[in-house]
Amino acid sequence: MKFESLITCVLTGLVVVSGYSQEKAIDTTMVNELQEVVLTATRTKRQLSSLPLPVTIVSQEVIKQSGTIRLNEILNEQTGIITVADESGFEGVQIQGIASDYILILIDGVPLVGRKAGNFDVNRLTVGNIKQVEVVKGPSSSLYGSDALGGVINIITEKPKSDVLSGNASYRIGSYTQQDINVDIKQRIKKFGYGVFANRFSSEGYDLNPDTAGQTVNPFENYTFNGRLYYDFSDRFSLFLSGRLYTQYQDAGFTANTTSLEGDSEEQEWNGHVRLDHKWSDHLTTQYEFYYTNYNAKEQLADSASGDIVSDSDFDQHLLRPEIRTTYTFKDRSKLTAGIGFQYDQLDRTFFDKQVDFNSQYAYAQYDTNLIERLNIIAGARFDNHSEYNNQFSPKLALRYKITDVLAAKASIGYGFKAPDFRQLYFDFTNSAVGYTVLGYNVALEKLNELQAQGQILDVVVPESSLQDPLEAESSIGYNVGLAYKEKRWNAELNLFRNDFKNLIDTRVIARKTNGQNVFSYFNFDEIYTTGLELNTNYRITDNVRLSAGYQLLYAFDKQKEKQVKNGEVFARDPETNQTVVVSRSEYFGLVNRSRHNANFKVFYDIVSAKANINLRLLYRSKYALFDTNGNDLIDDYDTSFVDGFVTANIAASKTFYENFTLQIGANNLFDYTEDNIPTLPGIQLYAKLNYQF
Amino acid sequence: MKKLSILFLALSTVLVSCSSDDDTTTPIPVKSEKISNLEAIQTGGQGTGNPIGGVFTKFDFETGKITTSDTDWDVAFRGTNIAVNGGTVTGVAEEPARNGNAAAAVVTGTFAGVTSAKDVTFSQDADTVFAIPTGSDNGWYNYAGPPTHLISPIPGKILVFKTRNGNYAKVEILSYYQDEDTSKKSQYYTFNYVYNPNKGETSFE
């Protein structure tokens, strides 16, 4: 609590200080900084500051100075974005309180696949060769279709500009024998350009709980390779080709009770991306794009004593997506963008009867115009026709009104959806130790009949008819309203958000088994909302000292449960007496893994004379709960799975010498904060990195 | 002064006699008790490879005690199963014969909030079905699964019984672990109960 007030004070202080400087600076000539360009928000180049949507950009410079090497680390340092690890250690992002399942991850505008139980592990991505990371908050299905409910994260790679061979090679070593090696080369020779990138990342892992057998994180090593080619056939045609490979090998052995298991898990991902840019005229451009990706994960565990294979799982997903999009620029600079595409998605995995596939066709259009000089409007919509669920129509409208030269108001509303995934439709899994069964919705009836025929079913608790209508896509409507203030030395941005979700897919019991366990299947039921505000301020004290502070306030609740609580229908146990008590509204904490407060404070200092820079980033996350512990299916103050609020501090310092060499030293988690319930956060991690740039 | 005392004495006598006259119509107050560590050991079952077995521990609301009587019991416990002395056998191993007309129901509320059995719909044990449903989140408990495997009585689930003698009782299970400590052995019931000793009276107050 103390820390929360501290953060509030700092924030308020900052706003006040900035307020004063604003008065002084008000007559100075307009902004002379480089304007940051965003691609993700509109699929055309737009200035960050002119956009009507909440967008965060993380530049290569910030990534390098911060000493981050994986995407999860740098995302975690952005306001309103946190990473949440699931049971298998996959780190997914949460934006505006919306879980990883509902956030689309792109590289150069094309989607990455390979989610485990909906969670996309952003730890998979190295940040060694990226130009910038763009995060668009709020539903973006009007351009990107499924999964873009909470927002879109797009990783933009760098295009070579210079005809001199340039690049860098670096080696970093840190605590837990964490090693990161990068080689990045790029060059442009007249019409031809190329970029080659390789990364190796490895660690011995770590153990947060030495009392228990096995490590928290087992040793692993992974490699990322990326090759890109650029060729301009003429002024009108240019080609982009990109191939990427990611592969990871991790020891998966562990000891449970007295049994020790050994084995390993392997992940492999391929991406192939071809794009032809066709410039018909100054007004009309078309992009022809073809994309293919494959994500493959294997894990095998054997009993070390007997050699018996205990578990063997496979996950093999393919996605193929051709798309054509065209942008017409009108005389008044309004832009009309339209696209059509086709997507083929295929998954073969353990616990599926057979390989399953989806296909969908889609079309979208977007009009970006200034109705009057001060008012920018973006209106767009997309239609998705899908083989497995109802067609989706996803509209979006965004407005930005320039109140003065430095102040603008923004508002947007959009629809987002997420198609039921393969697991929710085709899973057929029985836990061998405990005996419960989980069935995908589309196979539930058939499998239930099989179980019944085998005499495993005591009774079916839902009517058969409730398993016949197709599962609906999960959907949300998101609202964002904000103000943006931008002066020469400082800027501040306030955004209020609300996301209303419906038809969320969760499991429910459909039958009881004779062994006392249940059969679960998926169905649409939850309606939740997340709402709050986000405040970001940046202040440049001098040309060399930058301060920034960010804060997110979040309320995330299940509407139905909120109602039940209000009606006094939810109970908990008094920990003293074990007797039932009624849970009051103020005791209903909200959804799991959601913190009411998130804040960050950063200082970046360039010491020009010494060719050095140093920075400190403080991140605060308030208390949150991991799971229900008292059987009432929601998080209340009586639950015991709360993780108390905590601060992590990251610090990094770099110095360039002999022109081409940069030495960086740093410490992540300087305060050495650890908690058994946060397996992805080891104690203090020290590192040193040597970079050679040419 | 003395006169006054005599008057007072006389008055008291009258009052006393009045109240003793009423004795025949005033009900006996309800009985509130807590039973701790009722042992309900189940043998065999999951993970052991052996068939489920074990004697049901029988409980009699009238005496408020565990009993081994074949007839004078209302409710019996073994593992997470709770049997009532009414209806027929369910078919599980080693269960007691039903020879009474007891019945049970699970109602939702706080223990104090369940003030009467008046509007409760009771049921009895039957072939393959216990009156108090078995299974996680189905009757009185929730099974947490791995890694804790804890059995927690669902908050807000109050068991209401009609005893074999036609009396009414309500029960709140507080814990399934020895000394209400989840780090100790399971299959030890601790519960609060309120029993109305007046036959046919549904009130719990």
Side-chain angles (χ1 to χ4, degrees):
Chain A
M1 205 56 205
K2 260 185 198 162
F3 195 81
E4 284 164 23
S5 23
L6 178 71
I7 292 281
T8 320
C9 278
V10 169
L11 277 169
T12 326
L14 222 90
V15 172
V16 171
V17 168
S18 315
Y20 282 125
S21 63
Q22 163 219 337
E23 276 166 31
K24 277 182 246 158
I26 207 146
D27 285 329
T28 53
T29 42
M30 271 311 294
V31 187
N32 52 7
E33 295 168 46
L34 279 173
Q35 289 289 354
E36 293 168 297
V37 170
V38 184
L39 290 169
T40 317
T42 57
R43 307 207 81 152
T44 57
K45 282 185 185 169
R46 279 290 302 260
Q47 271 181 12
L48 174 66
S49 59
S50 76
L51 271 172
L53 304 165
V55 176
T56 304
I57 285 189
V58 189
S59 68
Q60 189 179 47
E61 189 196 2
V62 168
I63 292 169
K64 285 208 164 136
Q65 290 191 357
S66 305
T68 46
I69 44 182
R70 309 305 288 185
L71 187 64
N72 56 323
E73 297 172 275
I74 195 70
L75 288 175
N76 215 5
E77 295 192 357
Q78 310 309 312
T79 310
I81 305 179
I82 55 165
T83 57
V84 176
D86 64 15
E87 287 153 2
S88 47
F90 272 42
E91 259 186 288
V93 282
Q94 185 191 98
I95 296 180
Q96 293 188 344
I98 298 167
S100 173
D101 305 46
Y102 310 103
I103 291 158
L104 187 63
I105 314 284
L106 309 169
I107 288 189
D108 287 321
V110 290
L112 296 177
V113 299
R115 289 165 184 263
K116 287 281 183 65
N119 209 2
F120 186 95
D121 189 12
V122 282
N123 199 359
R124 202 157 98 196
L125 296 156
T126 173
V127 294
N129 70 328
I130 64 189
K131 186 184 156 211
Q132 65 184 26
V133 182
E134 304 180 358
V135 182
V136 177
K137 295 178 179 177
S140 306
S141 291
S142 64
L143 281 176
Y144 296 100
S146 183
D147 297 5
L149 291 85
V152 176
I153 296 173
N154 194 0
I155 296 148
I156 313 286
T157 58
E158 196 164 22
K159 197 175 170 177
K161 290 196 182 80
S162 157
D163 55 6
V164 182
L165 180 79
S166 68
N168 64 75
S170 69
Y171 175 73
R172 169 172 142 156
I173 183 150
S175 310
Y176 315 108
T177 335
Q178 192 192 66
Q179 297 182 84
D180 188 62
I181 305 165
N182 279 295
V183 178
D184 189 24
I185 298 166
K186 49 188 173 293
Q187 190 176 16
R188 170 133 211 112
I189 309 159
K190 290 176 184 166
K191 291 178 169 185
F192 176 73
Y194 68 90
V196 177
F197 172 76
N199 169 266
R200 179 189 185 275
F201 178 52
S202 66
S203 165
E204 293 292 316
Y206 51 86
D207 193 6
L208 290 178
N209 199 344
D211 297 337
T212 59
Q215 291 205 133
T216 311
V217 169
N218 280 334
F220 64 85
E221 60 181 271
N222 65 49
Y223 298 85
T224 306
F225 302 101
N226 177 218
R228 301 183 310 283
L229 287 177
Y230 307 81
Y231 188 74
D232 297 336
F233 292 101
S234 67
D235 289 347
R236 293 188 159 202
F237 287 98
S238 59
L239 182 71
F240 166 67
L241 273 172
S242 170
R244 178 178 165 274
L245 166 67
Y246 165 78
T247 174
Q248 171 163 287
Y249 172 88
Q250 182 164 27
D251 178 2
F254 66 95
T255 306
N257 302 323
T258 52
T259 329
S260 126
L261 300 175
E262 57 187 28
D264 49 59
S265 68
E266 273 179 70
E267 261 181 284
Q268 203 167 63
E269 182 188 11
W270 283 97
N271 313 76
H273 184 184
V274 184
R275 194 179 65 224
L276 182 69
D277 285 71
H278 181 188
K279 196 171 169 185
W280 301 84
S281 72
D282 284 345
H283 293 289
L284 187 66
T285 58
T286 299
Q287 296 186 314
Y288 310 88
E289 187 170 74
F290 185 85
Y291 175 61
Y292 166 75
T293 183
N294 170 224
Y295 173 83
N296 193 310
K298 282 189 176 99
E299 182 172 295
Q300 200 176 64
L301 286 171
D303 191 315
S304 3
S306 63
D308 294 342
I309 289 174
V310 179
S311 125
D312 188 358
S313 70
D314 254 313
F315 185 102
D316 189 14
Q317 186 176 7
H318 298 262
L319 181 132
L320 192 80
R321 201 188 77 173
E323 182 176 302
I324 299 172
R325 58 181 171 269
T326 289
T327 298
Y328 185 80
T329 310
F330 294 90
K331 280 200 178 102
D332 65 356
R333 309 196 73 186
S334 297
K335 281 186 168 138
L336 180 67
T337 303
I340 52 166
F342 167 80
Q343 183 164 305
Y344 175 78
D345 201 352
Q346 182 198 81
L347 179 64
D348 196 0
R349 69 170 284 189
T350 325
F351 312 123
F352 276 21
D353 250 8
K354 52 176 195 272
Q355 171 188 304
V356 288
D357 49 28
F358 288 172
N359 56 68
S360 65
Q361 303 81 34
Y362 59 88
Y364 58 85
Q366 172 188 266
Y367 187 52
D368 178 353
T369 186
N370 280 39
L371 267 195
I372 51 172
E373 198 200 328
R374 286 172 177 278
L375 181 65
N376 175 233
I377 294 186
I378 298 175
R382 170 165 159 146
F383 182 77
D384 284 78
N385 174 40
H386 196 279
S387 60
E388 300 301 314
Y389 63 92
N390 291 340
N391 297 338
Q392 295 291 315
F393 178 69
S394 319
K396 183 160 185 168
L397 179 68
L399 309 170
R400 180 179 185 274
Y401 185 75
K402 195 167 136 186
I403 301 167
T404 69
D405 280 345
V406 290
L407 183 67
K410 299 174 178 187
S412 62
I413 175 170
Y415 174 87
F417 73 94
K418 179 180 185 294
D421 64 27
F422 288 116
R423 173 183 49 107
Q424 290 160 343
L425 297 178
Y426 298 104
F427 213 32
D428 176 12
F429 171 74
T430 296
N431 181 301
S432 53
V434 181
Y436 65 87
T437 298
V438 185
L439 300 175
Y441 187 88
N442 287 8
V443 294
L445 260 185
E446 180 194 332
K447 296 284 167 194
L448 200 57
N449 289 337
E450 280 177 25
L451 289 172
Q452 239 162 348
Q454 293 161 11
Q456 290 198 44
I457 300 296
L458 196 63
D459 57 339
V460 179
V461 299
V462 297
E464 234 178 57
S465 58
S466 74
L467 292 167
Q468 276 158 350
D469 294 330
L471 208 55
E472 296 279 338
E474 299 172 279
S475 67
S476 79
I477 296 177
Y479 311 85
N480 285 276
V481 178
L483 282 174
Y485 189 91
K486 194 173 169 72
E487 275 277 5
K488 191 182 173 192
R489 289 214 170 272
W490 78 284
N491 69 65
E493 200 153 346
L494 173 72
N495 184 48
L496 308 176
F497 61 86
R498 178 168 173 109
N499 297 287
D500 282 291
F501 276 69
K502 62 176 193 182
N503 284 331
L504 284 191
I505 296 172
D506 208 336
T507 52
R508 68 167 165 177
V509 175
I510 57 165
R512 307 204 178 277
K513 296 175 78 172
T514 47
N515 66 3
Q517 295 298 327
N518 294 322
V519 180
F520 297 88
S521 186
Y522 296 89
F523 79 128
N524 294 110
F525 77 123
D526 270 340
E527 294 198 3
I528 64 159
Y529 68 88
T530 74
T531 188
L533 68 84
E534 181 180 331
L535 180 65
N536 279 297
T537 62
N538 290 288
Y539 180 53
R540 197 175 271 271
I541 299 177
T542 70
D543 284 347
N544 302 323
V545 183
R546 284 168 291 145
L547 290 183
S548 74
Y551 171 72
Q552 179 184 266
L553 174 70
L554 174 68
Y555 295 88
F557 293 98
D558 183 308
K559 290 181 190 174
Q560 201 189 336
K561 288 187 177 141
E562 196 174 41
K563 207 166 152 188
Q564 287 169 353
V565 170
K566 280 181 182 162
N567 291 341
E569 294 162 0
V570 178
F571 305 95
R573 281 190 190 280
D574 183 323
E576 295 296 313
T577 63
N578 271 338
Q579 291 186 26
T580 292
V581 289
V582 176
V583 173
S584 68
R585 179 62 190 85
S586 63
E587 289 167 335
Y588 175 29
F589 190 81
L591 303 180
V592 294
N593 273 320
R594 269 62 167 201
S595 296
R596 181 73 24 91
H597 310 281
N598 274 288
N600 61 70
F601 178 74
K602 302 173 197 166
V603 190
F604 283 81
Y605 179 34
D606 289 330
I607 310 160
V608 181
S609 58
K611 285 190 179 173
N613 64 69
I614 182 164
N615 60 72
L616 168 72
R617 293 105 59 208
L618 293 172
L619 311 168
Y620 170 69
R621 182 174 179 194
S622 72
K623 167 172 116 160
Y624 61 97
L626 295 167
F627 49 86
D628 173 40
T629 57
N630 56 10
N632 60 10
D633 209 21
L634 56 72
I635 303 297
D636 56 65
D637 290 350
Y638 299 98
D639 280 312
T640 54
S641 67
F642 283 99
V643 174
D644 283 335
F646 63 95
V647 180
T648 40
N650 301 333
I651 190 165
S654 311
K655 179 172 166 57
T656 303
F657 55 96
Y658 299 136
E659 293 295 327
N660 292 332
F661 289 91
T662 305
L663 178 70
Q664 182 175 55
I665 53 165
N668 289 336
N669 194 5
L670 195 63
F671 301 152
D672 200 19
Y673 170 82
T674 59
E675 148 80 58
D676 284 353
N677 286 315
I678 315 175
T680 48
L681 183 67
I684 184 167
Q685 306 144 69
L686 304 166
Y687 60 84
K689 175 183 170 180
L690 185 65
N691 185 59
Y692 170 65
Q693 58 269 3
F694 50 90
Chain B
M1 201 56 181
K2 204 172 186 180
K3 265 185 190 167
L4 198 65
S5 306
I6 293 166
L7 180 68
F8 186 75
L9 191 73
L11 214 66
S12 322
T13 322
V14 172
L15 280 174
V16 168
S17 33
C18 276
S19 69
S20 64
D21 274 351
D22 278 356
D23 258 354
T24 46
T25 51
T26 302
I28 313 163
V30 296
K31 193 166 90 177
S32 294
E33 294 287 339
K34 180 175 180 178
I35 299 294
S36 293
N37 296 323
L38 181 143
E39 213 179 46
I41 307 302
Q42 173 188 300
T43 56
Q46 261 152 46
T48 62
N50 298 316
I52 291 175
V55 178
F56 278 72
T57 305
K58 289 173 272 193
F59 184 80
D60 176 18
F61 283 112
E62 195 181 345
T63 59
K65 287 195 167 63
I66 292 169
T67 174
T68 51
S69 163
D70 289 335
T71 52
D72 297 340
W73 62 280
D74 296 309
V75 57
F77 303 82
R78 185 189 69 194
T80 56
N81 288 347
I82 302 176
V84 288
N85 191 4
T88 62
V89 289
T90 65
V92 300
E94 295 187 52
E95 67 181 315
R98 314 298 198 275
N99 40 42
N101 199 25
V106 181
V107 301
T108 302
T110 59
F111 192 53
V114 178
T115 56
S116 162
K118 203 174 155 197
D119 298 319
V120 174
T121 311
F122 289 97
S123 55
Q124 294 186 318
D125 289 348
D127 185 29
T128 72
V129 192
F130 284 98
I132 296 167
T134 56
S136 178
D137 282 324
N138 194 32
W140 67 270
Y141 71 91
N142 161 270
Y143 168 62
T148 63
H149 301 284
L150 284 183
I151 299 279
S152 316
I154 302 168
K157 294 294 176 200
I158 309 298
L159 311 182
V160 179
F161 293 94
K162 187 182 175 190
T163 70
R164 68 186 191 286
N165 296 327
N167 294 72
Y168 291 91
K170 64 174 176 179
V171 168
E172 179 177 20
I173 299 171
L174 304 177
S175 173
Y176 186 62
Y177 294 86
Q178 205 173 29
D179 302 330
E180 301 184 50
D181 181 346
T182 52
S183 65
K184 293 191 176 173
K185 282 189 283 185
S186 67
Q187 306 182 340
Y188 287 82
Y189 283 84
T190 293
F191 58 87
N192 282 330
Y193 76 91
V194 167
Y195 172 70
N196 192 326
N198 307 286
K199 191 172 176 177
E201 286 294 326
T202 53
S203 172
F204 293 127
E205 288 181 316

